[in-house]
Amino acid sequence: MKNVFRSLLIFGMLSILFSCGSRKNTPASDITSGKEKDFKDKYFSAAKHKVLGEYDKAVADFLDALKHKPESHETMYEIASTKAMMGNFHDAIYWAEKALKTNKTYNYWYSKQLADLYNQSGDFLKSAAVYENMLKNDENREELYIELGNQYINMGDFKSATTWFEKYLDKFGLEPEGANVLVRLYAELGKPEKGIEWVEKLVAQYPDEIEHKVLLADLLLENNQIEKGKEILYSILSLKPNNGFAAKSLASIYKKEGKPDSNQYYLQMAFNDYEVSVDWKLFVVSGFFPQIKTDEKTQKLALQLTQSLVDVHNTNDKAYLAQGDVFHAVGQIENARKSLQKATSINPADIEFWRKLLSLDDEAKNNEWLAEDSENALEYFPNQAFLYIVNSFANYKIKNYEKAIETAQSGLEIAILKNDKTDLLATIADSYYDQKKFSDCFATYDEILEINPNDHLALNNYAYYLSEQNERLDKALEMIEKAIKLSPSRPTYVDTKGWVLFQMQKYSEAEVALKLAFEQLKQDEEVKNHYVACLRKLNKNAEADSIEASYQKQTN
């Protein structure tokens, strides 16, 4: 009604504006007095500013209007409303109180405005007082009982709140929402049996409503009336077989009683019911993870229930995520990927789903998967540099070099961070190298080092490629020594240094570095080959033969 009143004011303003054009034909007796006209002009101007969101101008014009008509409680009401829109509750309350006091008769909207403002400012006691006064004038308005009860809840006065909610139900009839509020209030007061009484009344009044019976059963269970609760739940299942809510409660009972077969039976029934919330089902599934890797029965149940979850909620992305997590936990990586792909197909706009999928691909060390899934992700997130990095690298690993270079170059167009740029350039450089485009590779690594001279990975790779091509070995040695200084704990860098020294024919120095690398990476064939080659150059063939034999034995 408040909005209607405002609209009428605007309509009235327009009427007056249109009538101005024919004023010369209006009889003098109908012309509004100057004072009243000034009031209306300011009032309607204020109303226009308010509608346009020009609140400061609206308040100024409303205040000017009051100068012409100080007793206008309608104007005071509008000032209060405008001040509230501006977030100035202190002034809003002042004008709302003034409007209520100035108006000599009961006005629902004025009182409601003041009660709401008290509530918004946290003065729940004053808000309750206004609602109580409103009920003296308007005892048949249902919402006032609810609002009054809510103010007492806000104050933490649950006893007074129960009084008003009970008055509401007694006067207007029993309904579920009010009964549920009383259940919570009596629980707070330590009198759960009183709440149970109200739900029993609700069940008696609506005997065909299953949800009320489930609520009653759950309340009984919470208050250790187990057998009585079971009786109600079984009665529900006799009326409505496979009811998921009753099954859910029975599953909880049998879990507490240590009866796993009965627990699993009713869990399955609950999971098969679409009406039972996905969130509850996800909560149940999350409880399996502490034992899922070590207990076969838990694995079987988790797989079974998550299959039901996606069968019943086949358009819910979170259901497939949960199934994917279970598959992953039990080691079924390919199935986990399929579930995650389904989740991304349902909700492709959530980048976290894609991150999870790509992380799984990476964990599986399957670069074909990684290339495919990152390509699909790029369709939805073309401005995410990390996706270009992942996709270009995956294509490089599967020897799709042209695609790797193309994707990395596209990523460079949107990359902002230095690390993103160097990662993309590194893939381009490595792709060039594997295509035997050595000059392009080296030029790209020069570009990387211009961006970040301390990129130790680039320094290592560049040095290694130069050593392989037996080019600029002094520069290669300088770069790898810098890389080792920047990141001294990487044995692969020590191997690169040894190989650079080997290519420089400094075999004794090379042996020291290559031996150190080999001792830390004995399973790495390339590191082993470098060390053996150096030993043979030093005529230490027996030692080289021993290492080769030992390596063959370990790898076979």
Side-chain angles (χ1 to χ4, degrees):
M1 188 175 290
K2 187 161 56 177
N3 292 331
V4 173
F5 177 62
R6 190 180 302 123
S7 299
L8 288 173
L9 291 176
I10 296 168
F11 180 78
M13 175 184 69
L14 293 173
S15 298
I16 288 172
L17 290 174
F18 281 120
S19 69
C20 289
S22 59
R23 181 175 294 177
K24 62 183 181 180
N25 297 321
T26 303
S29 59
D30 290 340
I31 297 176
T32 307
S33 68
K35 188 175 181 180
E36 182 70 14
K37 177 183 178 301
D38 289 341
F39 166 75
K40 288 184 177 181
D41 285 347
K42 287 295 181 182
Y43 188 96
F44 296 148
S45 174
K48 181 181 73 173
H49 286 310
K50 184 178 178 183
V51 169
L52 295 174
E54 299 169 345
Y55 300 132
D56 287 328
K57 292 180 180 179
V59 170
D61 281 349
F62 278 132
L63 289 172
D64 281 345
L66 272 181
K67 292 177 182 177
H68 299 291
K69 192 174 181 180
E71 73 282 5
S72 174
H73 44 77
E74 298 95 338
T75 305
M76 298 170 191
Y77 172 87
E78 288 295 339
I79 294 174
S81 172
T82 309
K83 287 285 187 179
M85 291 176 179
M86 298 168 72
N88 187 342
F89 292 109
H90 180 270
D91 286 356
I93 288 171
Y94 169 82
W95 286 105
E97 288 175 340
K98 196 171 179 65
L100 198 63
K101 185 176 180 181
T102 303
N103 186 33
K104 303 304 180 184
T105 58
Y106 170 71
N107 184 298
Y108 168 82
W109 296 108
Y110 291 3
S111 297
K112 186 70 168 62
Q113 181 190 63
L114 181 57
D116 286 346
L117 287 169
Y118 282 143
N119 176 69
Q120 291 176 66
S121 64
D123 198 337
F124 306 123
L125 185 61
K126 284 187 177 179
S127 182
V130 174
Y131 279 119
E132 286 202 44
N133 188 61
M134 291 174 75
L135 276 169
K136 292 176 184 177
N137 295 280
D138 208 352
E139 65 177 12
N140 291 319
R141 195 182 287 265
E142 295 182 34
E143 69 182 75
L144 297 181
Y145 293 85
I146 296 170
E147 292 289 356
L148 180 52
N150 286 336
Q151 298 314 310
Y152 282 114
I153 290 174
N154 292 336
M155 284 186 271
D157 185 352
F158 301 125
K159 185 175 181 181
S160 296
T162 58
T163 299
W164 286 103
F165 275 103
E166 286 184 341
K167 285 183 178 180
Y168 163 70
L169 294 180
D170 288 339
K171 186 173 183 65
F172 299 104
L174 190 59
E175 50 87 19
E177 188 174 346
N180 283 330
V181 172
L182 285 169
V183 167
R184 294 194 296 272
L185 288 172
Y186 277 120
E188 291 286 349
L189 291 169
K191 298 179 179 179
E193 69 282 355
K194 289 284 189 181
I196 290 173
E197 288 177 9
W198 277 101
V199 179
E200 286 175 337
K201 292 178 185 178
L202 195 64
V203 169
Q205 183 164 322
Y206 302 100
D208 296 328
E209 293 292 334
I210 299 296
E211 62 183 289
H212 302 333
K213 291 183 178 181
V214 172
L215 174 61
L216 177 57
D218 287 343
L219 283 172
L220 292 168
L221 297 175
E222 287 172 15
N223 289 278
N224 295 317
Q225 299 185 44
I226 307 299
E227 293 307 316
K228 191 173 180 181
K230 278 185 184 179
E231 184 181 337
I232 293 173
L233 293 171
Y234 284 126
S235 72
I236 292 170
L237 291 176
S238 68
L239 293 171
K240 191 176 180 182
N242 302 319
N243 178 268
F245 295 100
K248 169 183 164 184
S249 298
L250 285 167
S252 176
I253 292 171
Y254 288 119
K255 182 179 180 180
K256 291 177 182 177
E257 292 181 351
K259 298 178 179 177
D261 290 343
S262 296
N263 167 255
Q264 292 172 22
Y265 174 80
Y266 287 109
L267 272 181
Q268 184 66 68
M269 187 182 294
F271 269 67
N272 288 339
D273 189 341
Y274 180 84
E275 298 298 324
V276 176
S277 76
V278 171
D279 287 342
W280 176 81
K281 294 172 183 177
L282 295 176
F283 175 76
V284 172
V285 171
S286 69
F288 297 139
F289 286 98
Q291 295 86 31
I292 199 168
K293 291 185 178 180
T294 56
D295 185 80
E296 289 186 10
K297 288 185 178 179
T298 301
Q299 289 182 11
K300 183 178 179 181
L301 180 61
L303 290 168
Q304 180 179 320
L305 291 179
T306 49
Q307 186 59 52
S308 296
L309 180 62
V310 298
D311 287 343
V312 174
H313 304 278
N314 57 14
T315 60
N316 189 292
D317 49 12
K318 292 180 181 178
Y320 286 96
L321 280 181
Q323 186 186 45
D325 287 341
V326 170
F327 279 136
H328 180 243
V330 301
Q332 296 186 24
I333 302 301
E334 189 167 355
N335 284 335
R337 178 177 179 246
K338 290 177 181 177
S339 294
L340 292 177
Q341 285 180 318
K342 185 65 177 179
T344 59
S345 71
I346 293 171
N347 186 6
D350 192 327
I351 198 167
E352 293 307 316
F353 289 9
W354 292 103
R355 288 184 189 275
K356 197 176 183 75
L357 175 59
L358 297 176
S359 177
L360 182 74
D361 294 343
D362 184 53
E363 181 185 333
K365 295 180 170 52
N366 191 315
N367 291 300
E368 285 83 3
W369 290 359
L370 202 57
E372 178 187 342
D373 292 332
S374 58
E375 182 78 15
N376 291 333
L378 277 167
E379 292 183 17
Y380 297 96
F381 298 97
N383 294 320
Q384 290 290 331
F386 88 93
L387 291 176
Y388 292 92
I389 294 169
V390 171
N391 185 259
S392 60
F393 181 75
N395 277 290
Y396 164 74
K397 294 295 286 185
I398 60 177
K399 304 184 186 306
N400 192 353
Y401 300 123
E402 293 299 332
K403 176 63 176 175
I405 292 169
E406 178 188 346
T407 301
Q409 288 174 337
S410 296
L412 287 169
E413 294 176 7
I414 61 99
I416 297 173
L417 300 177
K418 284 184 179 181
N419 287 347
D420 291 343
K421 291 178 180 179
T422 55
D423 284 346
L424 291 163
L425 286 168
T427 298
I428 293 173
D430 293 344
S431 296
Y432 281 143
Y433 188 85
D434 285 4
Q435 290 179 306
K436 302 188 184 306
K437 298 178 180 179
F438 303 125
S439 60
D440 288 337
C441 168
F442 299 151
T444 306
Y445 268 115
D446 285 331
E447 189 177 348
I448 293 171
L449 293 175
E450 282 181 18
I451 296 171
N452 182 8
N454 294 323
D455 187 328
H456 54 81
L457 184 60
L459 288 165
N460 173 77
N461 290 358
Y462 195 178
Y464 181 72
Y465 288 153
L466 287 172
S467 70
E468 284 285 277
Q469 299 308 308
N470 209 3
E471 288 187 28
R472 292 180 280 167
L473 295 177
D474 288 338
K475 179 177 181 178
L477 184 60
E478 180 185 333
M479 287 193 296
I480 191 56
E481 286 180 339
K482 183 177 181 180
I484 291 171
K485 186 176 180 181
L486 290 166
S487 184
S489 61
R490 298 195 182 213
T492 52
Y493 292 5
V494 178
D495 173 71
T496 297
K497 180 180 177 180
W499 196 240
V500 171
L501 290 166
F502 178 89
Q503 297 289 57
M504 297 174 80
Q505 299 182 11
K506 297 180 179 181
Y507 302 123
S508 294
E509 292 178 54
E511 181 190 11
V512 175
L514 292 171
K515 181 180 181 181
L516 181 60
F518 176 69
E519 287 175 347
Q520 297 180 69
L521 297 170
K522 290 187 176 182
Q523 301 301 316
D524 190 301
E525 185 176 11
E526 186 176 29
V527 172
K528 181 266 297 180
N529 289 341
H530 289 167
Y531 184 39
V532 167
C534 187
L535 289 173
R536 296 197 186 282
K537 283 289 184 181
L538 293 168
N539 294 316
K540 296 182 179 181
N541 292 314
E543 188 176 347
D545 290 342
S546 175
I547 289 172
E548 290 277 24
S550 177
Y551 181 82
Q552 289 296 327
K553 184 177 179 180
Q554 289 177 6
T555 54
N556 291 335

